[in-house]
Amino acid sequence: MSSVDPITLDIIENALKSARFEMDTVVARISLSPVIREQHDEFPMICDAQGRMVVGQFGSYIPGVLEQFGDAIAEGDVFVWNDPYACKGSVSHLNDWCVMLPIFHEGERVGFASIFGHMVDVGGKVPGSMPFDARSIWEEGLRIPPVKIYDKGVLNQGVLDIMLNNSRTPDMNRSDLSALIGGCRTAATRVQELCDRFGRETYTAACQRLLNRTREAMQQLIFKYIPEEAVSFTDYVDDDGRGNGPFRMTLSIYRRGDIAVFDWTGTDDQAEGPINFFIHEGLCKLFFGIYMIMAFDPEILFNEGFYDLFEIVLPEGSLLNPRFPAALGNRLNTHTRFFDCQAGALGQQAPHLSMGAGYGTSPHFIFTGKDGDGKYFQVMELLFGGVPGRPRGDGLDGHAWWPLFSATPIEYLENYYPVRVESYRPVRDSGGPGLHRGGCGIEKVYVLLEAGEISIHDDRETIPPWGINGGLAGGTSSKWILRAGTDTPVRIPSKIDNLAVDKGDRILYRTAGSGGWGDPLDRAADDVLRDVRRDLVSADQAREGYGVVIKDGLIDAVATDMLRRRLREERGEAPRFDMGALPAELMVA
């Protein structure tokens, strides 16, 4: 294999990164749905000829498709699928349509480009295709195994017709699918240009070197931060939508020689409802790897080079390895708790580099009905919450877990759908107190301008996001409806479908905050006052959580000093973790 000099390697690395972001841009320009076009719920990657991700966000799944098709992969082919069970969990629910195409240069395969994105609707028993009470995947929509949507450049119209015929939003799905394919073709062009410029052998060698470099860096992180003696952490998912729960998730981490072991033994059995997360072993490795890179050394290029350094234990029949045909549609509650468990376990070995728990899912709001012209509409929006306090500073207020996600512009919602956003603001006191405050959740108030039905899914309504290193737990989520002509809010469940609404009704959607980092009694009083003035923290929480006394809008320095002394004496040493007000059955456990 050709050697690659450092300058060429740097050029190819950055060209691939640019191509990966160009994929995002192409998708955003072609897609129609607000979920992909405005919120960027799509995940691109560029892989080598063996299907290993070199740049991107979600890898691991292409080798499984290669196993199914073998030599029957040709230039001009484009594959599509969405069934988690048919691709070993490479996508995790039916709304995610995954597109993959092989990249050829002068007749030789040099890689793959792939993107998956969330489709607004893929059939199933409710609009949006994520029924809160599903008991099997059959209720959640059309299952598509890996199939060629293009065969040597020729569109398979029959496959496309079946896919679109099973959606309530075929026009959006058609456009979004075209966007995913266009993004992949853009990446193929950029890779072919690199092969033209540097030669195919040099490009291939550069990809291997980038994978090797990440592996070498990860090996150092493993020796530095993964102990030989196991450390464990447990967190909980509220419920499964069918009245069952809370569900325990337990993670143990330890090192055996060069290998980091991540063991989920002790995690509860799969749920009756749709919160199961059927996770591919490679995807599990990827999630651990990206957390370690982001927490411990963000300069490392994120790719699949480190996979052989990780060993994953996923007990069969558990919440993270359910048996077919378990429902999977609302698996993000479990997915994000996966990250919280990582933070809790790794934080015991390197507390100075870890963080607390976040808002704990990917909350969604769906509103459907017919507008004044009798035309069907379906709006889906992902909402965000508090990102936890961290070593470098306060958590982010009303932010997404996924770095490139963004909120749907209010102007977009109000222009295309019969809804008005009355207010959009942080939830006061929802960020856990700490030396670095946890990020606040958000409250969004929707005024519905037509009759219809709404669906809601959220979590961390009963299990608060915990704080770390002396930081305190953050606030939980809640949902409310104010019927037209009334001012009295009525609480509605965090998971509900097909709630009938009338014109003029208002929905108050409050997401959870996040845990604080570090001792709140060490936080600068001026920073607490600033948060009070910004309506992120109340005067009561300033006093009770931070020991800061505010009178007439100013800090009472003498009273603050006395209160902080007393609170330290009463509390003693700050706890490593503050789990907040857990339900009684978990306190007993």
Side-chain angles (χ1 to χ4, degrees):
M1 181 177 289
S2 300
S3 61
V4 186
D5 65 85
I7 294 176
T8 300
L9 182 66
D10 189 61
I11 292 172
I12 291 175
E13 176 186 358
N14 284 283
L16 287 173
K17 289 179 181 177
S18 295
R20 171 252 182 278
F21 285 109
E22 189 177 0
M23 295 168 78
D24 284 323
T25 301
V26 169
V27 170
R29 292 191 175 202
I30 298 174
S31 60
L32 276 181
S33 73
V35 178
I36 291 183
R37 182 181 183 87
E38 301 295 335
Q39 299 205 273
H40 312 296
D41 189 351
E42 46 84 19
F43 300 89
M45 67 175 182
I46 301 173
C47 303
D48 68 2
Q50 289 75 49
R52 298 174 298 177
M53 184 183 73
V54 181
V55 295
Q57 292 171 278
F58 281 80
S60 80
Y61 51 78
I62 289 180
V65 178
L66 295 181
E67 290 177 10
Q68 297 182 47
F69 287 89
D71 296 331
I73 296 178
E75 192 164 4
D77 288 350
V78 179
F79 297 82
V80 65
W81 66 88
N82 79 333
D83 184 3
Y85 291 109
C87 62
K88 300 180 181 179
S90 60
V91 294
S92 54
H93 70 161
L94 297 180
N95 290 79
D96 288 337
W97 282 7
C98 190
V99 166
M100 181 202 80
L101 61 82
I103 304 173
F104 286 80
H105 180 259
E106 297 177 349
E108 294 289 329
R109 195 173 75 207
V110 294
F112 293 88
S114 183
I115 311 178
F116 70 84
H118 183 106
M119 298 293 143
V120 170
D121 189 283
V122 294
K125 70 175 188 175
V126 300
S129 312
M130 293 179 287
F132 81 99
D133 60 348
R135 299 178 64 183
S136 76
I137 198 168
W138 303 111
E139 302 169 70
E140 297 177 334
L142 177 69
R143 298 172 57 222
I144 309 164
V147 63
K148 292 184 181 182
I149 189 75
Y150 281 88
D151 189 349
K152 297 180 181 178
V154 178
L155 174 66
N156 188 332
Q157 188 66 48
V159 168
L160 180 61
D161 288 346
I162 291 171
M163 293 168 65
L164 298 180
N165 195 55
N166 282 275
S167 171
R168 299 171 180 84
T169 57
D171 292 340
M172 282 190 180
N173 286 29
R174 181 194 298 272
S175 178
D176 290 356
L177 178 61
S178 297
L180 301 181
I181 294 172
C184 288
R185 286 176 171 162
T186 298
T189 299
R190 298 295 173 256
V191 169
Q192 290 160 353
E193 291 170 350
L194 287 172
C195 291
D196 289 339
R197 179 178 177 184
F198 296 104
R200 186 165 59 247
E201 289 188 0
T202 298
Y203 173 77
T204 301
C207 288
Q208 184 62 55
R209 181 69 190 106
L210 292 172
L211 291 164
N212 291 344
R213 192 180 67 186
T214 296
R215 184 186 189 279
E216 293 162 5
M218 182 61 72
Q219 197 160 41
Q220 298 301 314
L221 295 183
I222 289 172
F223 272 96
K224 189 171 183 180
Y225 296 114
I226 304 297
E228 290 186 302
E229 184 176 349
V231 292
S232 299
F233 190 82
T234 296
D235 204 348
Y236 301 87
V237 180
D238 283 0
D239 63 271
D240 68 348
R242 298 192 58 85
N244 307 305
F247 288 84
R248 175 190 301 265
M249 292 180 62
T250 297
L251 171 64
S252 299
I253 299 176
Y254 61 93
R255 178 168 55 85
R256 187 177 60 240
D258 293 341
I259 306 301
V261 181
F262 300 85
D263 186 349
W264 289 99
T265 299
T267 295
D268 278 347
D269 291 344
Q270 66 191 64
E272 180 186 16
I275 64 166
N276 302 291
F277 186 19
F278 183 60
I279 185 170
H280 187 285
E281 181 179 307
L283 195 59
C284 194
K285 292 178 179 181
L286 181 146
F287 289 149
F288 284 123
I290 194 170
Y291 182 90
M292 291 182 66
I293 288 172
M294 292 298 101
F296 303 142
D297 192 351
E299 295 301 316
I300 297 174
L301 177 65
F302 179 57
N303 60 39
E304 293 188 26
F306 57 82
Y307 274 22
D308 66 321
L309 297 174
F310 286 3
E311 179 182 322
I312 306 298
V313 180
L314 294 167
E316 186 177 359
S318 70
L319 206 60
L320 291 168
N321 190 11
R323 296 183 181 92
F324 178 83
L328 309 173
N330 291 310
R331 81 285 179 231
L332 273 171
N333 305 6
T334 305
H335 188 174
T336 47
R337 206 70 80 259
F338 182 108
F339 296 139
D340 291 336
C341 286
Q342 285 183 74
L346 291 170
Q348 297 174 53
Q349 181 69 7
H352 59 296
L353 293 175
S354 193
M355 60 183 182
Y359 63 100
T361 185
S362 190
H364 71 245
F365 170 77
I366 298 173
F367 176 37
T368 61
K370 292 186 177 180
D371 63 20
D373 297 324
K375 183 179 179 181
Y376 176 77
F377 66 85
Q378 182 181 141
V379 57
M380 175 185 172
E381 182 176 27
L382 302 175
L383 287 91
F384 309 137
V387 174
R390 53 215 164 119
R392 66 181 297 176
D394 292 346
L396 304 177
D397 304 313
H399 201 277
W401 264 120
W402 316 111
L404 299 182
F405 275 24
S406 61
T408 306
I410 290 172
E411 296 84 354
Y412 183 95
L413 285 175
E414 295 182 344
N415 190 44
Y416 290 103
Y417 299 100
V419 63
R420 186 176 76 249
V421 178
E422 185 174 84
S423 65
Y424 184 60
R425 63 181 63 143
V427 178
R428 186 194 305 122
D429 292 342
S430 59
L435 172 64
H436 299 151
R437 177 180 54 79
C440 292
I442 59 99
E443 177 190 276
K444 198 163 193 175
V445 180
Y446 301 90
V447 180
L448 310 180
L449 304 181
E450 296 287 354
E453 295 178 331
I454 64 165
S455 294
I456 282 173
H457 194 95
D458 200 1
D459 204 67
R460 285 223 183 269
E461 185 180 55
T462 59
I463 309 293
W466 43 267
I468 193 171
N469 299 335
L472 304 183
T476 53
S477 64
S478 64
K479 313 293 172 289
W480 308 79
I481 185 168
L482 288 87
R483 294 295 185 180
T486 71
D487 292 318
T488 303
V490 176
R491 191 154 185 170
I492 55 179
S494 66
K495 302 170 181 67
I496 191 170
D497 285 325
N498 298 328
L499 176 65
V501 291
D502 292 321
K503 183 177 181 179
D505 288 352
R506 287 181 288 168
I507 304 298
L508 280 69
Y509 201 124
R510 293 174 182 150
T511 63
S514 59
W517 189 98
D519 190 343
L521 300 181
D522 291 335
R523 185 172 177 84
D526 286 342
D527 290 343
V528 177
L529 178 61
R530 178 199 62 200
D531 287 343
V532 170
R533 288 173 172 172
R534 292 178 177 177
D535 202 29
L536 300 173
V537 172
S538 68
D540 287 343
Q541 190 183 73
R543 182 177 60 254
E544 297 166 8
Y546 294 94
V548 175
V549 179
I550 298 174
K551 293 182 178 179
D552 300 323
L554 298 174
I555 297 168
D556 185 328
V558 174
T560 294
D561 183 64
M562 292 177 60
L563 178 57
R564 285 187 157 182
R565 288 173 184 270
R566 178 171 63 81
L567 291 175
R568 287 184 195 277
E569 291 175 0
E570 293 175 352
R571 181 198 64 192
E573 184 178 353
R576 174 67 62 84
F577 296 101
D578 175 58
M579 305 304 291
L582 293 174
E585 65 269 27
L586 299 183
M587 296 293 289
V588 172

